[in-house]
Amino acid sequence: RLRLGLKRGLSPGAPGVCGGAKVGGGRVARMTAAGTHGDAAAGAAERIRADKLRTDVAALTSTSSQKTILLACGSFNPPHRVHVKMLDLAREALEARGDVVLGAYLSPVSSRYEKKGLVAAEHRLRMCEEAVRDSVFAMVDPWEAEQPRWSRTLDVLESVKRRATNTLGAAVAPRVMIVCGSDLIESFTVPNLWSDEHMQTLAIDHGIVCISRTGHDARAVLDAIPCLRERKGEWNVAFVENDFMSDLSSTKLRQALRSGDSVDAFAVEGVAKYISEHGLYKEEPQ
């Protein structure tokens, strides 16, 4: 399941603020010809993987189109076919309205996220790499997974935006939009889970691409939240209808693995092979 984020950065079941460390303290390292090792390390940390980002002149210099990067945060425990398909649908929807989608990232949660049965971040990063191997625009961003603490989705989004801007240049200033299923929008209504400020920041300032699931009405959920309803005209939310998101989930993929059933319908070959080679998900989590 894709994960959004919790109010005030509190990790489920763990006290204290866990907002995630800002790489380099939010400072863009300035490199000189002489340069120091520390400056070089800081500069590298403030960049983002860009091997599949669109860097063609037409995309980066367009003044009539919004330049957008897609971000899907979640456990990816393990990643399945729908995770990447959601990014494909989001890109199609945004490009249809005139946006230039520069690329997309899967961001696996840190191992510090307290979730039963969560395998190590190292494994989930490798599986996500297999999941996006054949994608022409989707990549894996390890920043969140490498944090010593659980990170709020807003912190991850702002990190991606900062590093992407540093990589592409301030003139590009891409917008980063969260991609999620409509069922997760319902978490906005859970008492004390989200602050009004964070909901407005995601739905208005940055944006959400909401992929619909049967039985979930994301528009109605957002419209029922006072702080969002009063600013409905400012929403930057793309609602994407689809006919493929049924019951496919990481939970059902894990169940199939433990039962010894075929997982071809759930996971791409590379993910299934990695799971088999490392003996993951064989036992029911304690």
Side-chain angles (χ1 to χ4, degrees):
R1 293 171 65 87
L2 297 178
R3 177 188 53 79
L4 287 179
L6 298 184
K7 181 177 179 181
R8 301 189 186 94
L10 296 181
S11 175
V17 176
C18 301
K22 286 190 175 182
V23 178
R27 177 179 62 82
V28 180
R30 296 184 177 181
M31 305 300 292
T32 64
T36 65
H37 176 75
D39 286 337
E46 280 294 311
R47 301 298 187 265
I48 197 166
R49 176 178 174 179
D51 54 298
K52 295 183 184 179
L53 280 181
R54 286 192 61 180
T55 56
D56 54 290
V57 174
L60 299 184
T61 61
S62 173
T63 58
S64 59
S65 300
Q66 173 64 54
K67 291 171 279 291
T68 302
I69 288 174
L70 303 175
L71 173 65
C73 297
S75 299
F76 303 110
N77 189 43
H80 53 71
R81 293 182 182 275
V82 169
H83 287 134
V84 178
K85 181 63 176 178
M86 290 175 70
L87 296 177
D88 291 335
L89 289 174
R91 181 177 69 159
E92 291 171 6
L94 294 186
E95 289 182 340
R97 74 180 193 184
D99 286 22
V100 174
V101 176
L102 301 178
Y105 296 95
L106 295 181
S107 178
V109 71
S110 166
S111 295
R112 298 300 180 94
Y113 182 62
E114 297 182 357
K115 184 175 182 179
K116 184 178 180 181
L118 185 69
V119 303
E122 176 187 357
H123 289 308
R124 290 179 287 110
L125 284 168
R126 293 287 300 277
M127 288 187 287
C128 283
E129 290 287 358
E130 292 297 334
V132 302
R133 182 176 298 278
D134 294 332
S135 174
V136 298
F137 78 111
M139 297 159 281
V140 180
D141 181 38
W143 183 88
E144 180 183 5
E146 294 173 349
Q147 296 310 297
R149 295 181 176 180
W150 175 84
S151 304
R152 299 174 303 177
T153 295
L154 187 56
D155 292 331
V156 181
L157 185 152
E158 290 175 345
S159 171
V160 169
K161 180 175 176 63
R162 181 180 67 249
R163 289 178 288 124
T165 299
N166 291 341
T167 300
L168 297 171
V172 177
R175 175 180 60 194
V176 180
M177 297 183 71
I178 289 292
V179 179
C180 67
S182 58
D183 54 333
L184 294 185
I185 293 293
E186 294 183 359
S187 72
F188 281 11
T189 66
V190 177
N192 301 316
L193 194 61
W194 288 88
S195 68
D196 288 357
E197 178 185 1
H198 285 178
M199 287 189 288
Q200 290 177 335
T201 298
L202 283 178
I204 297 172
D205 298 337
H206 293 292
I208 300 171
V209 183
C210 178
I211 311 298
S212 68
R213 281 181 179 270
T214 302
H216 299 274
D217 189 343
R219 284 187 179 87
V221 172
L222 294 182
D223 201 38
I225 300 172
C227 72
L228 294 179
R229 183 173 61 249
E230 64 189 20
R231 299 183 62 183
K232 187 172 183 178
E234 302 174 68
W235 287 4
N236 181 22
V237 182
F239 297 98
V240 181
E241 303 295 332
N242 74 92
D243 58 3
F244 80 94
M245 290 178 67
S246 54
D247 292 330
L248 184 56
S249 67
S250 293
T251 298
K252 291 200 171 184
L253 173 51
R254 293 193 301 270
Q255 291 172 344
L257 288 165
R258 286 194 293 269
S259 300
D261 298 333
S262 171
V263 296
D264 291 347
F266 294 93
V268 298
E269 182 179 355
V271 172
K273 182 179 179 181
Y274 185 91
I275 291 172
S276 176
E277 289 178 347
H278 292 82
L280 304 177
Y281 308 113
K282 286 186 174 181
E283 304 295 333
E284 188 75 33
Q286 300 300 315

